[in-house]
Amino acid sequence: RDGYGLRTYGSNTMASFGLYAAVGLVLASRVELGPTNRRITPIRRINTAAKKVGEGDYSARVPVEGDNELSQLAITFNEMANSFEATDVSRRSFMGNISHELRTPMTSIKGFIDGMLDGTIPEDQRDRYLTIVSEEVGRLARLTQNMLDISKLEAGEHSPQTTSFDIWGPLSAVFINNEQRLEEKNIRVKGMEDSHMVMVQADEDFVHQVLFNLVDNAIKFTPEKGEITVQVAPGKGLVSIGITNSGDGMPKEVLNHIFDRFYKADQSRGINARGSGLGLHICKVLVGLMGGRIWAESKEGEWTRFTFTLPLSTQKRPPVRRPDNRVQH
């Protein structure tokens, strides 16, 4: 009987232990399942959002909960998605602007040529309209070149070839090239007569393009009998070059976007409607590549000034150019 009781007690004890063990395992699994689900759910959300972004839906975002590694991963993912979305918006805007800029001159060219072919434009007016067609073709060529320049610059295919040179060299060349336009509008250029050698360390071709765009812009917006003032101010390690033109000036909201790609000043008034809105953006990129910066200031009804900086050269005078001894044919 005692043996039977011991066996019964042992059996009951084992059964109770088994029952408690089973209950314990169930409880433990449920306790463990909670944290596991809390870890898996954010991963599933990130995976779902990643699939949407991969399919082109750049608006997908992941909720950020807590302050652990997974929440940091969600923040990083959202920042990446923001970057993709901004790039996509920029790309769509770029393509829309390109389409518009190309369509406008092409429509004019086709219209004028069709008018000459079908006799709508009389013989004595053909030279006038052919001149307009030639100007529009030139505009298309400049626009195409600007787009190629931007593509190469942003792809890192253009790097500055830095040399030491006198900044007044390219300044003088740009104004000489625009001499006819200045005379046609009777624009006075100030500041060139008191030029003293100022050596900069930069890419001379890049500087020439920046100055060409800024002077071209100044001439467009300077009224007849107006003024363009050139300022060159050496400083501590930098040289500031300013181009100021008299005229209507620009409001603050325009200044905030003047260097944006395809942005056109005075859009509402139609002034400079024939420009592409790329020249000043290219200036910003080129100056940045040379280690400088560029900005614009204006007083409405009086003047506008564009200023950019370049590294000051430690060389005091231009390098001596050796004569070319090659036989000229």
Side-chain angles (χ1 to χ4, degrees), residues 50-240:
K51 287 181 178 179
K52 289 182 179 179
V53 171
E55 293 169 356
D57 180 9
Y58 301 116
S59 64
R61 298 293 184 274
V62 181
V64 179
E65 298 174 356
D67 186 20
N68 52 30
E69 290 84 356
L70 288 175
S71 63
Q72 291 300 316
L73 178 61
I75 291 172
T76 302
F77 177 88
N78 290 340
E79 290 174 350
M80 178 191 69
N82 288 337
S83 177
F84 284 164
E85 187 172 32
T87 301
D88 186 58
V89 170
S90 177
R91 179 185 62 82
R92 292 174 184 272
S93 174
F94 181 81
M95 295 307 297
N97 282 314
I98 286 293
S99 299
H100 174 75
E101 294 295 335
L102 291 174
R103 188 187 307 116
T104 303
M106 289 176 69
T107 300
S108 298
I109 292 169
K110 185 178 187 305
F112 291 139
I113 290 177
D114 287 348
M116 284 182 276
L117 290 174
D118 62 20
T120 305
I121 295 176
E123 287 277 353
D124 59 348
Q125 293 291 317
R126 288 193 175 184
D127 286 348
R128 175 191 172 194
Y129 285 100
L130 281 173
T131 300
I132 297 175
V133 168
S134 177
E135 290 173 353
E136 291 297 313
V137 171
R139 180 184 169 196
L140 276 174
R142 288 191 300 273
L143 175 60
T144 304
Q145 186 59 52
N146 283 338
M147 289 189 296
L148 288 172
D149 288 342
I150 288 176
S151 298
K152 290 180 179 179
L153 288 169
E154 294 182 345
E157 295 180 15
H158 273 333
S159 56
Q161 304 298 314
T162 302
T163 59
S164 184
F165 60 92
D166 181 8
I167 188 61
W168 289 105
L171 264 170
S172 300
V174 167
F175 277 102
I176 289 172
N177 289 339
N178 284 284
E179 192 170 5
Q180 183 177 350
R181 295 174 63 199
L182 293 165
E183 290 178 354
E184 288 173 355
K185 297 184 72 173
N186 198 17
I187 296 173
R188 180 185 176 191
V189 179
K190 299 170 63 177
M192 298 290 290
E193 62 279 359
D194 298 323
S195 61
H196 299 284
M197 185 183 297
V198 178
M199 302 297 292
V200 297
Q201 193 74 25
D203 185 305
E204 193 164 359
D205 289 337
F206 282 11
V207 171
H208 188 279
Q209 187 169 358
V210 170
L211 289 171
F212 178 86
N213 288 342
L214 294 183
V215 171
D216 176 70
N217 196 66
I219 294 173
K220 285 178 184 176
F221 289 98
T222 302
E224 289 192 13
K225 298 183 180 180
E227 292 182 349
I228 295 177
T229 304
V230 180
Q231 295 167 302
V232 175
K236 189 175 181 180
L238 290 172
V239 177
S240 297

